[in-house]
Amino acid sequence: MRALGAYFASLVHPSARDDVIGAARQQSFIAAHLLAGLLALCVLPLYLSLTGTPTLLVVAFLWFLTPIGVAVFLSRTGKFGAAHLISAANFTGLITFSAWLTGGITSFLIPWMVAVPLEAALSSDRRVVAWAAGLASLGLIALAAGGEMGLVPQGPTFPVSANLLGLFGAMSATIYAAGLAITVQLVHRRSEDAIRVGEERYRLLAENATDMITRHDEKGRVLFVSQASQQLLGEAPDKLTGDGLFERVHVADRPAYLTALSRCSAGGEPVTVEFRIRHQDASGLERYSWVEMRCRPLQTSRGGAFPPGVLAGTRDISLRKAQEDELTRARDEAESASRAKTQFLANMSHELRTPLNAVIGFSEILNRELFGALGEQRYRDYARMIHESGEHLLHVVNDILDMSKIEAGKLKLVKEPFDVGSLIASCTEVMRHAAEAKHLSLITEVATGMPELIADKRACKQMLLNVISNAIKFTDAGGSVRVAAREENGMVELIVADTGIGISEQDLPKLGNPFVQADNAYNRSHDGAGLGLSVVKGLARLHGGRLEIASTLGHGTTTTILLPLGRSKSESGDGIGQDKTVTAA
């Protein structure tokens, strides 16, 4: 029996196998129709032995085989309603034909007409039941009309009395109806089991979930609260129904709470809201904690068992709120410290420039001996060293001042069109003396047909001079520095490539940050405050461009300043281009 049940279960369409109730209904339908067809095959030899000769009733017995085809149709397509309609039409036609051959409306098979709508009831579709009842009624009307018009043939002679035939028809129809009732009861029991399992599953989820589950009506009143309310708010669920939950919401957050429920119910879309709610701990002490409530619209269920409303899940986010407040405080402190640092550097730079100008000016007077000979050669050397050190310090101070202006957003660009070739020629001419002093080759390459660049010429010159100065500083005697310009994808690329000491891979990402150098050790052999590239990076970003550095330790460095040819991205509303550092092997 169990093996037979497993076979019928295997014939259920794949679309219904995951649905316990649907699978049970299909399995019962397929089993009943297959067994009905097999029963017809078994009864046919018995009928032939009783009548002796084949008659039109043999067609009726063969008709009984058609339920097998209906069962195959359902197994292949999964169309349960259509299968029931086909079965009802087929069953009505079979009974009508058989009754027409055996006496019409007075046939002993007439009780079977009751089974047509009863069988259709297994579909759980009122339309199918109505169609089946209509078809059975049409069959009865056709038989009655045929009898009145004399169209019903003379029934065959059976070896038993009419009373026994009537008893056989009524009993067989009753047995079939009882089978249908048992099938309905089995499907109903499976439905109840499935509902009971589902209810138990959802009850376990609702009672053991850490989030508090609530159901609200269209006015926001609470209809259901899960057991998690005890852990979240220290209150039993029955104390939060109605307006109990609303009364525990902080007064200042009640508009947001009600607005979220209203928007979710009216708009039909999920809504998330954060608010403070009163919590009572085990000692009875009350305090407010932050919670997050995620609302989802609850549509009307089939049959109206659940009215429309909102289903919400509420969780404690006090820890997250505390972390957000801490991050906000830390960010504000960092921004305040950065502003204070920038302001300090700007003030210090202004304070240092005045005495430095005096030191440089007076040391130059002494170095040139404008008011008479110094006499001792060492005095001249000291005056020269004071002048060089003052100029170096003034350069550092100027870089600090520029960096402060860039970070504070107070450096204004004055853009104008100018020739890129003349800019490169001017910068290389300024740096040629420094390159020759170190016995370096300074090479320039400007692509033909270069268009004019619309940018701040003074800032571009400062960027290029800083990069060329770095290249000369970190290239040993006998090397070379190449300065080139080209246009690529709407960008002007100012390229400075040297054959110097190069930069290690781990130092490349740090370059461009203020006061950071590739060789940051205290015994480094090259001077500088590490501000040159940071100024270049900041000025490039102000133009909507970026700075790229590619290098390999011991094999030189290539620094590229990329600037937009026309309007900058910041002017067109697209934001400033991102900085990118590229490492080349």
Side-chain angles (χ1 to χ4, degrees):
M1 201 60 188
R2 188 173 295 178
L4 187 61
Y7 171 72
F8 288 140
S10 67
L11 298 178
V12 174
H13 192 265
S15 63
R17 288 176 183 172
D18 294 334
D19 181 4
V20 177
I21 300 175
R25 287 173 176 167
Q26 284 200 22
Q27 182 179 345
S28 300
F29 183 93
I30 292 172
H33 282 68
L34 289 179
L35 291 176
L38 294 175
L39 181 62
L41 287 176
C42 295
V43 173
L44 179 60
L46 178 63
Y47 167 77
L48 292 176
S49 66
L50 290 174
T51 58
T53 57
T55 63
L56 285 175
L57 281 176
V58 176
V59 177
F61 278 106
L62 293 177
W63 202 332
F64 268 113
L65 298 178
T66 55
I68 298 177
V70 179
V72 173
F73 168 78
L74 176 59
S75 178
R76 295 291 178 86
T77 65
K79 297 179 178 179
F80 194 52
H84 264 285
L85 280 176
I86 295 173
S87 177
N90 183 68
F91 199 10
T92 301
L94 174 61
I95 297 172
T96 303
F97 178 71
S98 301
W100 179 72
L101 293 177
T102 57
I105 197 67
T106 61
S107 172
F108 66 91
L109 296 176
I110 289 299
W112 277 84
M113 281 295 188
V114 180
V116 175
L118 287 178
E119 183 185 73
L122 290 173
S123 67
S124 298
D125 190 334
R126 286 176 294 182
R127 293 174 299 178
V128 174
V129 175
W131 275 102
L135 289 172
S137 300
L138 286 176
L140 292 173
I141 292 172
L143 289 172
E148 289 293 329
M149 292 184 291
L151 299 178
V152 177
Q154 185 67 33
T157 302
F158 292 99
V160 294
S161 65
N163 290 332
L164 289 177
L165 286 176
L167 177 63
F168 169 76
M171 287 294 295
S172 60
T174 302
I175 293 172
Y176 187 74
L180 291 178
I182 293 173
T183 302
V184 171
Q185 191 271 338
L186 290 174
V187 172
H188 181 67
R189 189 177 65 184
R190 289 194 182 184
S191 301
E192 287 183 338
D193 292 341
I195 292 172
R196 190 179 303 110
V197 170
E199 288 178 347
E200 181 67 17
R201 182 186 300 117
Y202 287 116
R203 185 183 66 81
L204 289 174
L205 289 174
E207 291 183 357
N208 294 282
T210 56
D211 292 359
M212 181 179 70
I213 309 300
T214 55
R215 184 163 65 89
H216 306 254
D217 62 14
E218 292 179 297
K219 295 182 179 180
R221 290 173 299 192
V222 178
L223 304 176
F224 166 81
V225 184
S226 68
Q227 294 294 330
S229 64
Q230 193 71 47
Q231 178 182 353
L232 182 67
L233 302 178
E235 294 284 2
D238 58 341
K239 292 185 177 181
L240 300 177
T241 55
D243 294 329
L245 181 63
F246 171 76
E247 291 173 355
R248 285 164 175 78
V249 178
H250 194 282
V251 175
D253 297 335
R254 289 179 181 178
Y257 168 82
L258 293 176
T259 301
L261 291 174
S262 176
R263 285 178 52 197
C264 182
S265 178
E269 295 181 356
V271 178
T272 301
V273 62
E274 297 177 357
F275 55 87
R276 289 161 291 180
I277 194 166
R278 191 170 69 249
H279 171 85
Q280 184 175 355
D281 57 21
S283 62
L285 182 64
E286 293 186 348
R287 59 180 177 83
Y288 281 96
S289 58
W290 278 98
V291 296
E292 178 187 72
M293 186 172 72
R294 298 183 177 182
C295 308
R296 285 186 171 276
L298 184 63
Q299 303 298 334
T300 305
S301 62
R302 190 172 182 178
F306 293 105
V310 173
L311 189 67
T314 306
R315 64 177 57 183
D316 192 332
I317 59 168
S318 299
L319 181 60
R320 193 186 79 190
K321 276 292 185 180
Q323 292 174 343
E324 289 178 357
D325 292 342
E326 183 65 23
L327 287 174
T328 301
R329 186 187 63 80
R331 184 193 63 194
D332 293 341
E333 290 181 355
E335 291 178 352
S336 177
S338 178
R339 287 193 298 268
K341 180 257 308 180
T342 302
Q343 188 64 35
F344 168 75
L345 291 176
N347 293 338
M348 183 192 70
S349 300
H350 281 294
E351 292 296 328
L352 289 176
R353 289 178 76 175
T354 300
L356 277 176
N357 285 329
V359 170
I360 293 171
F362 289 129
S363 62
E364 187 174 0
I365 291 174
L366 292 175
N367 192 32
R368 294 185 181 182
E369 300 180 289
L370 296 179
F371 298 105
L374 295 177
E376 181 62 43
Q377 178 62 34
R378 284 182 295 179
Y379 292 155
R380 298 190 189 91
D381 294 337
Y382 293 159
R384 178 179 54 80
M385 292 172 63
I386 292 172
H387 185 268
E388 291 177 354
S389 298
E391 286 189 333
H392 173 70
L393 186 55
L394 182 61
H395 179 72
V396 172
V397 170
N398 287 334
D399 282 347
I400 293 175
L401 187 59
D402 288 341
M403 196 66 241
S404 301
K405 289 181 179 179
I406 292 173
E407 289 186 350
K410 295 181 179 180
L411 186 64
K412 303 299 181 181
L413 299 180
V414 180
K415 296 186 178 182
E416 58 180 339
F418 61 87
D419 180 56
V420 178
S422 63
L423 173 69
I424 291 180
S426 174
C427 292
T428 53
E429 188 62 30
V430 172
M431 301 303 301
R432 190 168 300 280
H433 175 73
E436 290 176 351
K438 290 192 65 173
H439 305 287
L440 303 177
S441 300
L442 191 58
I443 307 167
T444 59
E445 295 179 4
V446 180
T448 57
M450 279 287 295
E452 288 186 328
L453 173 63
I454 302 177
D456 189 310
K457 187 174 183 180
R458 183 198 64 81
C460 292
K461 186 173 183 179
Q462 183 178 358
M463 288 189 287
L464 201 53
L465 286 175
N466 282 2
V467 175
I468 296 174
S469 175
N470 272 355
I472 293 174
K473 183 192 301 184
F474 295 103
T475 302
D476 294 331
S480 64
V481 176
R482 180 175 64 89
V483 184
R486 66 184 181 188
E487 178 194 359
E488 189 76 23
N489 297 327
M491 302 286 285
V492 171
E493 298 181 0
L494 305 178
I495 305 167
V496 178
D498 62 62
T499 59
I501 61 175
I503 305 168
S504 64
E505 184 176 351
Q506 60 268 23
D507 287 333
L508 272 174
K510 299 182 294 183
L511 293 180
N513 296 328
F515 305 103
V516 172
Q517 288 187 326
D519 181 11
N520 229 358
Y522 289 110
N523 59 349
R524 51 188 168 86
S525 56
H526 303 281
D527 58 358
L531 285 171
L533 285 180
S534 63
V535 172
V536 175
K537 181 180 178 181
L539 291 174
R541 290 186 64 183
L542 286 178
H543 280 85
R546 62 184 183 273
L547 175 68
E548 294 182 355
I549 303 174
S551 181
T552 302
L553 191 62
H555 293 83
T557 302
T558 299
T559 305
T560 305
I561 303 169
L562 293 97
L563 302 174
L565 187 61
R567 295 175 61 197
S568 68
K569 292 182 180 179
S570 60
E571 289 178 321
S572 59
D574 295 332
I576 296 176
Q578 296 180 346
D579 303 309
K580 180 173 67 175
T581 301
V582 180
T583 304

